[in-house]
Amino acid sequence: MTMRRSSQAILALSLVLVLSLVPLIGGALSVAESTTLISKGPGPAYLGGNEDSFHAAISGDGTKVAFTSEATDLIDGVTITGGDGSIENVYVWDALTDTTVLVTVGDEGGSGNGDSFRPSISEDGTWVSFSSFATNLKGAPESVQNCNIYLWNAETGDCKLISHNPDGTYADGYCDYSSINADGTRIAYQSSANTLSLTSLSGWYDNIFLWEAEADDSILISARPNGTQADSSSYEPSISADGNKIAYLSFATDLIADLTLSTPEWNSNIYVWDASAPTKLITAGTSGT
């Protein structure tokens, strides 16, 4: 069991989803009508998986749920590497068919050979981004043993490497916390790599990057107004449906021109990057700093 999961996820031994709309009745919210167990084995018994499931992400239309699981019995006939539950894999459950598919399939069948986790899912559930240490994912080039960001295509079942250098090679640092937009064409993610974009980076700060499908390339988001590297790390991006805005937390103090932060040293703040406007500080005090 890894330390990546949140304390709430640790408490949830089986992943459940409330599958009911919450209509307004007389101005008050109604009680949800049903709860469905998703992280279960096949068949009519509806037993929960034999290991923990966590990191749930639901599609915008509510028909699909991506999640991480250490369980080895969620799908019949699929061999899970690390059969003792030591490997994390990403799955997608379909509400319309009540079936689960393995996202992190190995290039020779079965599952990937390293942990895959923290999925983010598109509006209709056809695209899923996730973090992975696996080196043998179906459709992706053989990788080094590092954490990278991949994009899964539901139609082909293939995984595409997102966190690559401009020349297509693997990044030189850890990549995690991906967030995908509605149509799967833009993915924000966090990385300590220095080689992902054409921007000159040094040290081992974590930065926020934006991958765009059309260019198949990443650009630095958590940058100074002049486009250079900020003076500290930034983490955990969240992207808007259209992919034009990205919120993230940062310990940097120079993301906005002529702004002197009044927060104590080493405190984090929340910023929003806008593709058409300068970065804004969200956690500003009453004085605006």
Side-chain angles (χ1 to χ4, degrees), residues 130-238:
F130 60 94
S131 307
S132 183
F133 284 96
T135 63
N136 66 334
L137 294 175
K138 180 177 179 287
E142 184 177 352
S143 74
V144 294
Q145 192 71 39
N146 200 357
C147 191
N148 290 287
I149 304 297
Y150 295 89
L151 177 63
W152 176 75
N153 183 340
E155 293 185 359
T156 65
D158 287 347
C159 295
K160 177 181 176 61
L161 174 67
I162 298 305
S163 55
H164 59 75
N165 301 328
D167 63 1
T169 57
Y170 278 85
D172 64 347
Y174 189 94
C175 302
D176 197 0
Y177 287 98
S178 68
S179 178
I180 194 169
N181 75 329
D183 64 4
T185 59
R186 289 187 171 188
I187 298 172
Y189 63 97
Q190 167 190 325
S191 180
S192 62
N194 293 324
T195 56
L196 286 168
S197 73
L198 297 177
T199 303
S200 177
L201 300 173
S202 60
W204 292 103
Y205 287 144
D206 279 82
N207 290 288
I208 305 301
F209 295 87
L210 173 63
W211 174 85
E212 296 183 274
E214 184 176 357
D216 189 19
D217 216 344
S218 296
I219 60 173
L220 176 66
I221 297 302
S222 54
R224 295 186 178 108
N226 63 5
T228 59
Q229 183 177 10
D231 64 359
S232 194
S233 290
S234 299
Y235 302 96
E236 299 178 11
S238 178

Side-chain angles (χ1 to χ4, degrees), residues 30-284:
S30 68
V31 177
E33 295 179 354
S34 65
T35 299
T36 300
L37 176 65
I38 290 171
S39 54
K40 58 183 175 63
Y46 295 105
L47 299 176
N50 59 4
E51 291 289 346
D52 288 344
S53 298
F54 39 94
H55 293 161
I58 192 168
S59 62
D61 62 9
T63 63
K64 295 180 177 65
V65 177
F67 63 97
T68 306
S69 184
E70 293 176 340
T72 60
D73 61 346
L74 299 182
I75 304 175
D76 270 339
V78 175
T79 301
I80 302 298
T81 301
D84 58 354
S86 60
I87 294 291
E88 298 171 6
N89 281 284
V90 174
Y91 297 84
V92 168
W93 173 83
D94 190 325
L96 302 180
T97 61
D98 190 24
T99 56
T100 300
V101 297
L102 177 65
V103 170
T104 48
V105 176
D107 54 12
E108 295 183 357
S111 67
N113 58 7
D115 283 343
S116 299
F117 50 93
R118 236 189 299 278
S120 179
I121 194 166
S122 64
E123 173 73 20
D124 63 0
T126 59
W127 301 97
V128 176
S129 64
F130 60 94
S131 307
S132 183
F133 284 96
T135 63
N136 66 334
L137 294 175
K138 180 177 179 287
E142 184 177 352
S143 74
V144 294
Q145 192 71 39
N146 200 357
C147 191
N148 290 287
I149 304 297
Y150 295 89
L151 177 63
W152 176 75
N153 183 340
E155 293 185 359
T156 65
D158 287 347
C159 295
K160 177 181 176 61
L161 174 67
I162 298 305
S163 55
H164 59 75
N165 301 328
D167 63 1
T169 57
Y170 278 85
D172 64 347
Y174 189 94
C175 302
D176 197 0
Y177 287 98
S178 68
S179 178
I180 194 169
N181 75 329
D183 64 4
T185 59
R186 289 187 171 188
I187 298 172
Y189 63 97
Q190 167 190 325
S191 180
S192 62
N194 293 324
T195 56
L196 286 168
S197 73
L198 297 177
T199 303
S200 177
L201 300 173
S202 60
W204 292 103
Y205 287 144
D206 279 82
N207 290 288
I208 305 301
F209 295 87
L210 173 63
W211 174 85
E212 296 183 274
E214 184 176 357
D216 189 19
D217 216 344
S218 296
I219 60 173
L220 176 66
I221 297 302
S222 54
R224 295 186 178 108
N226 63 5
T228 59
Q229 183 177 10
D231 64 359
S232 194
S233 290
S234 299
Y235 302 96
E236 299 178 11
S238 178
I239 198 169
S240 62
D242 64 4
N244 288 327
K245 293 181 175 63
I246 299 170
Y248 61 94
L249 72 86
S250 182
F251 289 90
T253 63
D254 55 356
L255 293 169
I256 300 176
D258 303 320
L259 176 66
T260 301
L261 294 174
S262 59
T263 52
E265 186 177 9
W266 304 118
N267 273 29
S268 60
N269 284 287
I270 304 300
Y271 296 85
V272 63
W273 173 87
D274 190 324
S276 60
T279 296
K280 294 181 180 179
L281 173 66
I282 302 301
T283 50

